[in-house]
Amino acid sequence: MGGSLMEAARARTHFAKFVTGTLLAASMVGIAFTAAIPPASAADSALNIYFLAGATSDPFMSTIKRGADDAGKAIAANGGSVHWLPLQDYGNIGPDLVKLLRSASSSNPAAIVVPNWVPDAENPTLKEISSAGTPLILWNDSGNDSTAADGALYYIGSDNALGGKAAGEYMAKNGVKHILCINTNPGTAIQQARCSGLKAGAESAGGTETDLPLAPSNFGDQTAISQAIKAALLKDSSIDGVVTLTLQDADITVSALSQAGLTDKVKLGTFDLNSAVLSRIQGGTQMVAIDQNGYLQGYLGVSLAFQYAKWGMKLPEMNLLTGPALITKDNVAAALAGAKEGVR
């Protein structure tokens, strides 16, 4: 499970879960989310929280939204509202997130919760918005390096490099010699951190790692991604492990392995969880998943943004790590129970 490498992350994760339990007790009523930005007024602008998210075609976003939705119950009880602003796709992530940031900022928000997935594109706008007095919370980005520099209150998410390192080390220690990292969003800091961490972990335990970068325009294109993975595996017979960075790519890789006749030879790992991933781990056809507790990212992002805007409440901890945690055959049962309720 990554040994001492994981202990610090576990401690911070337990802290975040303690905070979550405290906040959840306040959640009493429901809230409806909207994907459109409503006109702001002086009377209601102080209570509007804007949550910028990934594409609706990305299944991981459903877990994020579930957490944000649950936190929104307490916000609704206190006269607030949450506005969910997703990307249309992942073809032009940096510029598209900047557009969403500017749209949200123009509506006089109480706070904005946003992933800093492409720092080179987003940092100038993030600094501009925070300097103008709008509270920012970063979630699910490349780590916590830019939190203070961007003027954000918190970073809420996993340490992606640490998650990759833990997975690479685990797979190498369990017999995998050469891992292929499938990156369908090259150029984004979060994905690069995952592959780089995977490489470091594999090499620390005597293995190796190779990146397979694919065009972002192919995100979700099962045929294109499957063919690319199949071709890479057939070209290099030394590859005996594959790690995907998204849930969709994990399902696609299962198909690619089957087509290449390598299901029994090549071990599979992926970032994030769903019922299919967990069922494969339980059944022995997938080796590991790296969990970042997306539910907590949505829940804490919305809750802490509102509490700061409404009451000036702020935790002393700037970086709240919700992961990583490795899910293997040894602990998959508890994760399956959470997946059935839409929170894992």
Side-chain angles (χ1 to χ4, degrees):
M1 297 288 291
S4 60
L5 179 68
M6 301 295 292
E7 294 302 322
R10 285 198 188 100
R12 289 187 290 266
T13 299
H14 291 161
F15 172 76
K17 288 182 178 178
F18 169 78
V19 174
T20 303
T22 303
L23 298 175
L24 186 57
S27 298
M28 299 297 292
V29 297
I31 183 171
F33 282 82
T34 174
I37 301 177
S41 68
D44 66 14
S45 62
L47 301 178
N48 287 326
I49 305 297
Y50 292 84
F51 197 107
L52 279 57
T56 54
S57 60
D58 184 347
F60 178 63
M61 289 302 125
S62 64
T63 306
I64 299 291
K65 191 174 187 299
R66 170 63 187 273
D69 198 355
D70 283 353
K73 298 171 185 177
I75 291 176
N78 287 280
S81 58
V82 179
H83 308 284
W84 180 265
L85 307 179
L87 292 170
Q88 293 300 307
D89 54 49
Y90 291 138
N92 199 28
I93 297 177
D96 286 348
L97 277 171
V98 169
K99 289 178 182 177
L100 287 181
L101 274 167
R102 293 199 177 281
S103 295
S105 179
S106 68
S107 298
N108 297 315
I112 298 174
V113 188
V114 56
N116 190 6
W117 286 334
V118 188
D120 288 345
E122 295 177 67
N123 281 343
T125 304
L126 290 169
K127 292 175 184 177
E128 177 186 326
I129 291 173
S130 65
S131 296
T134 298
L136 288 178
I137 291 178
L138 304 182
W139 70 277
N140 186 246
D141 58 37
S142 58
N144 49 36
D145 295 339
S146 68
T147 311
D150 287 330
L153 297 172
Y154 305 102
Y155 166 68
I156 301 171
S158 185
D159 184 321
N160 290 288
L162 182 62
K165 187 174 183 179
E169 182 180 356
Y170 176 83
M171 293 179 77
K173 284 183 175 180
N174 284 276
V176 177
K177 303 297 184 184
H178 185 180
I179 302 170
L180 186 68
C181 185
I182 311 300
N183 189 348
T184 51
N185 275 319
T188 59
I190 183 173
Q191 308 297 44
Q192 187 55 50
R194 290 175 172 182
C195 285
S196 296
L198 191 67
K199 183 179 185 68
E203 291 180 348
S204 72
T208 188
E209 180 270 352
T210 300
D211 289 1
L212 179 63
L214 302 175
S217 58
N218 287 334
F219 185 87
D221 185 334
Q222 296 188 22
T223 300
I225 296 172
S226 179
Q227 289 301 313
I229 295 172
K230 178 182 174 182
L233 293 174
L234 293 177
K235 182 178 180 180
D236 188 345
S237 61
S238 72
I239 297 172
D240 56 354
V242 174
V243 172
T244 68
L245 308 184
T246 72
L247 291 171
Q248 289 186 96
D249 293 339
D251 295 336
I252 293 170
T253 299
V254 170
S255 175
L257 291 174
S258 177
Q259 293 175 32
L262 296 171
T263 301
D264 295 331
K265 177 190 174 184
V266 178
K267 302 299 183 182
L268 177 61
T270 189
F271 279 80
D272 303 325
L273 310 178
N274 62 15
S275 294
V277 166
L278 296 174
S279 294
R280 287 195 295 264
I281 292 174
Q282 187 177 51
T285 59
Q286 178 162 335
M287 188 177 220
V288 64
I290 305 98
D291 186 17
Q292 60 175 305
N293 290 301
Y295 176 89
L296 284 178
Q297 294 174 26
Y299 191 95
L300 289 173
V302 167
S303 297
L304 295 176
F306 183 78
Q307 290 178 47
Y308 180 82
K310 177 78 171 179
W311 300 298
M313 296 171 63
K314 186 179 185 299
L315 298 175
E317 185 80 16
M318 176 177 282
N319 297 308
L320 303 178
L321 292 187
T322 61
L326 295 188
I327 305 300
T328 68
K329 61 182 179 180
D330 296 326
N331 60 358
V332 69
L336 271 167
K340 290 178 181 178
E341 296 185 22
V343 300
R344 296 295 295 271

